[in-house]
Amino acid sequence: MSELHAIIKQYGLPRFVKKGTILLYQSEVPRRAFFVKQGLLRVYAITSAGEERTVALHDSGDLLPLSWLFGETSTSLFYYDTLVDSEVVAVPKNELVSAIAKNPKAMSEVMAMTMNEYTSLLLRITALEQSSAAEKIALTLYYLLFRHGEEIKPGVYTIKMKMTQSMIASLVGLTRESTAVNLKLLKKKGIVSYGNFNYSVDKAQLERFVGEDSFKNALES
């Protein structure tokens, strides 16, 4: 057990939450931080037109909301809900932050978690900046690979969650129909394979499609 997990176990209260449960509302002052023990959470905002836009996804091992937990914001910036039946651990903010500050190993784990989140969100921003729908989806797959991927054989990653095309469309800001068409295009190019809500990505093929050297060098730097 990691140092951070030991602290969370000491101070936290496990909760089982059903699919579709809103854990945090936008602008709400949270009463607890949440550690995702098992499941899948969606972070989203609602546009002025009343449409939901997915900002990020959180799965097992994530701690949220980090901006509120470490004093960068006084409220939750987004809505957080469960996409599947999930198990979370509710942890009091003051006790958690104090315990982490006294434990260098736990602090290092939080820093690693934060840097992973930071890098993955840079990929999200890069995806949304693309003019081509296919490149938007390809870079969103890169985000999912980086943030939620598991290498199942050399260079091939599976996304560790069940994904609908509607979920991908919400991440990209496209219609489900446009997303389906462009996923088929990427599948023909050997970049992605999918079925039964499971997605696998060939990392090398993906990097070639989005601009292999310059993109990869930017990430490494």
Side-chain angles (χ1 to χ4, degrees):
M1 180 183 297
S2 74
E3 295 292 323
L4 179 59
H5 291 180
I7 291 171
I8 290 168
K9 184 177 181 180
Q10 179 181 356
Y11 293 103
L13 178 66
R15 287 177 53 184
F16 291 92
V17 286
K18 293 288 188 180
K19 174 183 176 181
T21 301
I22 298 178
L23 288 178
L24 293 170
Y25 289 83
Q26 189 174 35
S27 300
E28 175 187 354
V29 178
R31 290 180 293 176
R32 299 282 191 276
F34 291 101
F35 174 77
V36 185
K37 189 171 182 181
Q38 184 176 347
L40 179 61
L41 274 67
R42 175 181 62 143
V43 185
Y44 69 97
I46 298 179
T47 69
S48 58
E51 298 176 340
E52 294 180 1
R53 286 285 180 262
T54 301
V55 176
L57 299 170
H58 288 286
D59 62 3
S60 303
D62 288 347
L63 183 63
L64 53 96
L66 287 176
S67 61
W68 169 78
L69 183 60
F70 292 103
E72 292 300 315
T73 61
S74 58
T75 64
S76 172
L77 295 178
F78 304 102
Y79 294 90
Y80 292 75
D81 72 356
T82 51
L83 291 175
V84 299
D85 292 347
S86 302
E87 182 181 0
V88 301
V89 182
V91 194
K93 175 179 178 177
N94 292 339
E95 286 86 342
L96 177 58
V97 171
S98 177
I100 290 172
K102 295 173 184 176
N103 189 317
K105 289 184 178 179
M107 180 64 75
S108 178
E109 291 171 25
V110 171
M111 285 293 294
M113 180 188 300
T114 304
M115 289 307 300
N116 181 278
E117 180 75 3
Y118 169 77
T119 305
S120 67
L121 290 177
L122 287 179
L123 291 170
R124 285 278 290 124
I125 293 169
T126 304
L128 295 172
E129 287 178 336
Q130 304 307 306
S131 57
S132 160
E135 289 184 350
K136 283 180 186 287
I137 294 171
L139 283 165
T140 297
L141 290 172
Y142 207 119
Y143 154 73
L144 292 168
L145 178 157
F146 183 86
R147 188 70 177 79
H148 306 282
E150 178 181 348
E151 192 169 20
I152 54 174
K153 60 182 180 181
V156 177
Y157 293 75
T158 185
I159 308 302
K160 297 184 296 180
M161 62 182 74
K162 290 188 179 296
M163 297 282 297
T164 66
Q165 291 185 354
S166 294
M167 286 170 62
I168 296 175
S170 181
L171 278 168
V172 180
L174 297 170
T175 64
R176 192 194 65 77
E177 292 76 14
S178 177
T179 300
V181 168
N182 284 282
L183 277 170
K184 286 181 181 179
L185 171 66
L186 297 176
K187 186 175 183 179
K188 287 181 180 178
K189 292 181 177 293
I191 294 169
V192 62
S193 60
Y194 52 89
N196 296 323
F197 308 112
N198 295 308
Y199 288 76
S200 296
V201 180
D202 186 309
K203 187 169 181 279
Q205 294 284 5
L206 175 58
E207 287 175 344
R208 276 193 283 273
F209 181 75
V210 297
E212 180 180 16
D213 292 333
S214 59
F215 184 72
K216 188 160 60 175
N217 290 341
L219 280 178
E220 290 173 350
S221 64

